[in-house]
Amino acid sequence: MKWLMQLPMQLQRVDEISFFWLSRHLRRPSGGSLARWISKSGDGYGYLIFCLLAFAIGDADAGALLTLLLLGFLIELPVYWLLKNTLRRTRPYERSAKFTSLIKASDKFSFPSGHTTAAFMFASLCATLMPSLSLLVFAWAGLIGLSRIALGVHYPTDILAGAALGTGLASFTLVAANGWLV
């Protein structure tokens, strides 16, 4: 029973060790500039640009994707905000005096990663409507998550939770929108 009580502390320790190793190695060779660019591509305007490009090339699913994304973000944003502000996990750079992040996060708490949640929700919705892009969009979503570790604002479990949450929210969005797009 004692091991069960110590499990959260042991998981936090493994997460911290993984974080320090990953953040150090992911900052190479660009010193973090590549991570900044990848992370910025996961800001909200990136999804809009993608949809506009899909419209511009005449993709028949561009309108459905935009509709699903709007509905998805209406669901995702309050869920993400509630989780972050309920769980209140301290960011890595605030927890360790020996570590300096490359950016200051726009919100206070770490778990789950909002960038990763949004990226995996986008990738899941996009892959559903445009299956030929599945590998590309999921690889990009994974890079978004890794960039957040490289920048020093998220632990690996924040990223894993964001990926799971985003994928789950995409499924929920598809169920909620069932019938609207047909």
Side-chain angles (χ1 to χ4, degrees):
M1 189 64 150
K2 183 179 177 183
W3 68 270
L4 189 58
M5 301 291 278
Q6 293 175 343
L7 188 60
M9 290 184 296
Q10 291 171 345
L11 290 174
Q12 177 66 30
R13 184 72 185 131
V14 169
D15 213 15
E16 287 175 357
I17 290 167
S18 301
F19 166 77
F20 286 120
W21 187 88
L22 282 167
S23 65
R24 182 173 62 249
H25 287 86
L26 291 171
R27 289 179 182 190
R28 295 179 190 158
S30 71
S33 60
L34 181 58
R36 281 188 179 123
W37 184 85
I38 292 170
S39 180
K40 283 187 182 290
S41 75
D43 291 347
Y45 62 83
Y47 309 114
L48 179 60
I49 290 170
F50 183 91
C51 288
L52 292 175
L53 288 173
F55 276 114
I57 64 170
D59 190 298
D61 293 315
L65 179 61
L66 180 59
T67 302
L68 285 171
L69 285 172
L70 291 172
L71 176 60
F73 282 115
L74 283 172
I75 298 165
E76 183 262 349
L77 289 170
V79 169
Y80 150 82
W81 184 89
L82 182 66
L83 281 171
K84 271 214 177 189
N85 288 286
T86 300
L87 299 172
R88 304 171 68 94
R89 185 180 199 189
T90 306
R91 290 198 181 267
Y93 61 83
E94 292 177 343
R95 200 168 154 87
S96 175
K98 65 182 178 179
F99 180 79
T100 303
S101 66
L102 297 178
I103 64 169
K104 178 101 168 130
S106 61
D107 61 16
K108 187 172 180 177
F109 301 114
S110 178
F111 186 90
S113 165
H115 274 76
T116 308
T117 300
F120 273 86
M121 186 181 74
F122 168 82
S124 297
L125 293 172
C126 186
T128 299
L129 294 173
M130 304 167 181
S132 63
L133 297 178
S134 294
L135 181 60
L136 179 68
V137 294
F138 278 108
W140 169 80
L143 289 173
I144 294 289
L146 289 173
S147 76
R148 304 302 286 172
I149 296 170
L151 294 172
V153 294
H154 285 290
Y155 292 104
T157 53
D158 300 340
I159 303 309
L160 294 173
L165 179 62
T167 303
L169 288 171
S171 295
F172 183 82
T173 300
L174 288 166
V175 169
N178 189 25
W180 290 3
L181 302 174
V182 179

